[in-house]
Amino acid sequence: MINIGSCTDFMKLPIYLDAMSTTPVDPGVLEAMLPYFLTHFGNASGRFHAFGRYASDADELAREQVAHIIGAQKEEIVFTSGATESINLALRGVANTYSKKGKHIITCATEHKAVLDTCRHLEQEGFTVTYLPVSTEGHLDLEELKSSITSETILLSFMYANNETGVIFPVAEIGAIAKEKNILFFCDATQAVGKIPVNVLNDGIDLLALSAHKMYGPKGVGALYIRRKNPRVSIKPIITGGGQERGIRSGTLNVPGIVGLGKAAELCRQRMEQERGSISLLRNDLENELVQLGCTVNGDRFHRLPQITNCTFKPLNSTALVASFAPHLAVSSGSACSEESHEPSHVLTAMGLTANEAKRSVRFALTRFTTPDEIEDAKQIIRKIVNDLS
Ligand SMILES: *Cc1c(COP(=O)(O)O)cnc(C)c1O
């Protein structure tokens, strides 16, 4: 039974539909991690005794699991504290190492703040950054991309799938353009890895960022893929010290976190095909209801991740809308980052929405644990809220 407008069930948690912000840890992932806290707590850098060997073996397995899900080799994986660090390492690392070749970077207006903000910092250090616009569907114009490449361009930075709309970029085409022009291609694939097939060779990706907590792993751990062949990419570190991760990222490895990331990747790889189907059915069911309530769907509905729908509600009080959802549905308007700054979503405004429309937009994103019952309840809750506010 849903009980809208009453505070008697305040201890009951809202239905979780905010999977682009983070996902719960899968029980299988937690189970894999647990021994590495109490029993096998050794430092993965030393193999002199059994504690170190257990940790180091676990690290190697996780490296293979992470490499496997993106079609890479384990020597090409660097573990980090998450996608934000991976993005910083990729962008700053390439900028610092390749600046003699040129100082121009091309990215897109709808990238994650971790990319956009790092690019702003690089601009202060003398780099030039082109921020390409997108269409109303959230897509890049590949001709425009080609014509913005100059002899100074060293890096293209484009995400695989957008964290607010789920729109999937034509990554293989971008990779081919980068190859042809002899420019490096960094891809923030944080939302794509584990949800749809990603392959660094087919997609022509030279560096790739991913994060455990977007794919049912723990928070605070991620990886950067750095290509070792055709071309061999070498980047300078931003964190120096004990020389772990071949000197690219110093610091004692977060073994339980890395084990969790590896296991999360493994589970996603095994379940991806089945989950893509089952999650998109539930998403479509919810989306049909939203459309019936007068919502418009933001972004290309075909080239899109299976678990998300981003909708603009018809004109009504946007503050009241978001506030009415909060006790019942854990959803977000725009990214967690833009919520903090109370700005309308930079992604939706880049797609041509007005600030007011962006504020009336809500992102609903399902996890692998979302049930048909939860979607039924969510539909009723949304219908009631929209009727009350209309
Ligand atoms: C969540 C997210 C990030 C940041 O990842 P963290 O691991 O939380 O630092 C970067 N890019 C995209 C597309 C994301 O969704």
Side-chain angles (χ1 to χ4, degrees), residues 290-369:
L290 288 159
V291 169
Q292 275 176 31
L293 289 170
C295 294
T296 52
V297 179
N298 294 312
D300 179 345
R301 289 171 75 165
F302 299 101
H303 299 101
R304 185 170 55 151
L305 294 176
Q307 43 274 98
I308 179 172
T309 177
N310 185 315
C311 287
T312 302
F313 283 79
K314 61 189 180 186
L316 38 77
N317 183 331
S318 61
T319 320
L321 179 75
V322 174
S324 327
F325 276 139
H328 312 287
L329 299 181
V331 291
S332 74
S333 50
S335 67
C337 327
S338 54
E339 245 165 35
E340 243 151 62
S341 56
H342 302 287
E343 295 282 315
S345 151
H346 72 281
V347 173
L348 297 180
T349 49
M351 289 162 64
L353 270 70
T354 64
N356 184 282
E357 285 167 334
K359 285 186 174 167
R360 276 188 274 121
S361 303
V362 177
R363 175 180 77 171
F364 300 89
L366 290 66
T367 76
R368 68 161 63 122
F369 304 109

Side-chain angles (χ1 to χ4, degrees), residues 279-289 304 306:
I279 291 189
S280 64
L281 280 180
L282 284 181
R283 185 272 313 271
N284 294 349
D285 184 23
L286 177 64
E287 187 170 85
N288 289 340
E289 177 76 17
R304 185 170 55 151

Side-chain angles (χ1 to χ4, degrees), residues 15-168:
I15 297 170
Y16 191 74
L17 291 172
D18 203 9
M20 309 304 267
S21 300
T22 194
T23 54
V25 170
D26 190 283
V29 169
L30 178 64
E31 198 186 353
M33 290 172 70
L34 283 175
Y36 295 92
F37 287 101
L38 291 174
T39 320
H40 305 319
F41 58 84
N43 189 321
S45 299
R47 292 189 63 89
F48 295 113
H49 51 66
F51 291 91
R53 281 196 295 275
Y54 266 112
S56 152
D57 289 348
D59 168 76
E60 284 304 295
L61 172 64
R63 213 174 282 278
E64 273 165 25
Q65 289 167 324
V66 171
H68 197 171
I69 201 172
I70 57 168
Q73 301 296 315
K74 70 179 194 320
E75 296 75 21
E76 298 176 309
I77 302 299
V78 169
F79 289 123
T80 65
S81 66
T84 300
E85 187 191 325
S86 299
I87 290 165
N88 271 268
L89 178 55
L91 296 177
R92 292 175 197 270
V94 168
N96 292 334
T97 316
Y98 292 82
S99 61
K100 280 178 294 297
K101 198 183 154 214
K103 290 194 140 196
H104 181 226
I105 296 167
I106 303 174
T107 185
C108 180
T110 53
E111 291 293 305
H112 191 273
K113 288 280 173 176
V115 168
L116 295 177
D117 207 44
T118 306
C119 284
R120 294 275 177 229
H121 276 260
L122 288 172
E123 283 183 278
Q124 286 162 18
E125 289 167 24
F127 289 84
T128 310
V129 182
T130 302
Y131 301 89
L132 292 174
V134 292
S135 68
T136 52
E137 294 241 281
H139 278 303
L140 200 62
D141 180 341
L142 292 180
E143 290 308 314
E144 200 173 353
L145 164 60
K146 279 186 208 160
S147 59
S148 56
I149 294 172
T150 73
S151 57
E152 282 278 296
T153 311
I154 51 171
L155 181 68
L156 306 184
S157 173
F158 294 102
M159 65 195 343
Y160 212 113
N162 189 275
N163 52 302
E164 292 193 32
T165 58
V167 169
I168 299 170

Side-chain angles (χ1 to χ4, degrees), residues 142 145-146 149 156 158 170-185 199-206 227:
L142 292 180
L145 164 60
K146 279 186 208 160
I149 294 172
L156 306 184
F158 294 102
V171 169
E173 272 105 312
I174 298 171
I177 294 170
K179 275 265 150 344
E180 189 197 314
K181 305 277 184 183
N182 202 17
I183 300 167
L184 295 178
F185 174 28
N199 185 295
V200 290
L201 297 178
N202 299 344
D203 296 332
I205 296 170
D206 298 308
R227 184 186 281 272

